Amino acid sequence: MNNLKGWCNVAKIKAAGFAGLLLWVMVFVQIAITNIFEERVLITEAFATGDNIAVERCSNEIVAKLNACDKNLLGEVMEGSVCYDYEIEDISGKLNTKGICYKATGFVEEYKITATLTKPEGSADTYFHYIICSNKTPYAEYMSDGCYSRCERTMGLLEGKNAETVMYSRAEAVSAGKMSEEECRKYTDHLFDRIGADVVYEHSDGEYISYGYADGLAKPVVSNRKKMNVQVMFCYNEIQDETEINIGTPILTD
């Protein structure tokens, strides 16, 4: 993947450092901590075959806050996700900031699963991060159900340990050429219509971003007394000459 595309996709929290930890803390401040599987609406339903849009990657992500830093949790999570071919690594020594960090990585069926357990030095809290994504290109329809079932088991395991949890879903797609701001706005209307979302806020400053709300999606972020639980972002990749389209709920973790 070229550098520009990597810049556009820096959304994923990095497991090899504590920088993502700051984002996790902000998330816990802004979002009501709850299980979000109440009324399932998949964000992949926003895309339609006739759009001439290529869905490249889908992922589900969980962040959680716990009291104890128990390395055995990573094994429980991986095996709970029916992933028995995994490795757990102590990456604490690789970090610039002092603290404890364990990382588990494994593959199962068409998925890649990564889980980290991080406890910064001096912190009373431990932070857990789990991500499952398609390990195959192009994206295939098998993705959604397998991801959700594994995430549901992981959420249940964490809740059994009295953890505070938040889950994110994300789909990444591309469209050939550069989409104008007006084209981005019109396509956002199509995406939101298909998942029953209304536009709450939008802005364009080199890239078009829109926030919306739908009853069937995740518990919302509340900003300026407005509820939002879905976000779409368009970013033009000059090298590939394609527009990258990212849609996520409740927000994109950029």
Side-chain angles (χ1 to χ4, degrees), residues 107-231:
F107 297 87
V108 56
E109 298 176 358
E110 304 293 348
Y111 313 110
K112 177 182 179 180
I113 302 175
T114 303
T116 59
L117 196 63
T118 306
K119 185 178 179 64
E121 185 176 54
S123 173
D125 298 315
T126 298
Y127 296 90
F128 172 84
H129 179 220
Y130 171 99
I131 182 167
I132 178 171
C133 61
S134 52
N135 188 42
K136 181 178 180 180
T137 302
Y139 164 83
E141 290 299 329
Y142 61 76
M143 186 63 196
S144 299
D145 288 342
C147 268
Y148 269 98
S149 63
R150 285 171 168 81
C151 281
E152 284 176 330
R153 284 194 286 269
T154 301
M155 292 282 281
L157 190 155
L158 293 168
E159 289 169 356
K161 297 180 181 297
N162 297 317
E164 298 177 351
T165 59
V166 178
M167 177 181 155
Y168 303 89
S169 295
R170 181 186 186 106
E172 303 169 18
V174 295
S175 175
K178 182 177 182 180
M179 297 176 67
S180 67
E181 180 178 336
E182 184 60 27
E183 288 174 325
C184 292
R185 183 175 288 106
K186 287 182 178 180
Y187 191 58
T188 296
D189 289 340
H190 290 310
L191 295 175
F192 282 7
D193 282 346
R194 290 169 186 153
I195 57 176
D198 295 317
V199 174
V200 174
Y201 171 75
E202 62 177 10
H203 76 88
S204 180
D205 183 14
E207 57 186 27
Y208 177 80
I209 301 175
S210 183
Y211 301 85
Y213 176 78
D215 288 334
L217 290 175
K219 291 294 182 180
V221 174
V222 179
S223 177
N224 294 325
R225 299 183 180 180
K226 295 181 179 180
K227 297 188 294 184
M228 299 176 288
N229 63 0
V230 60
Q231 179 185 354

Side-chain angles (χ1 to χ4, degrees), residues 13 18-33 63-65 125 127 164 166 168 220-222 250-254:
I13 300 173
F18 284 113
L21 179 59
L22 299 177
L23 176 61
W24 298 354
V25 172
M26 291 173 62
V27 165
F28 281 111
V29 171
Q30 295 181 48
I31 299 177
I33 307 302
V63 293
K65 183 170 70 175
D125 298 315
Y127 296 90
E164 298 177 351
V166 178
Y168 303 89
V221 174
V222 179
I251 58 172
L252 293 168
T253 51
D254 287 333

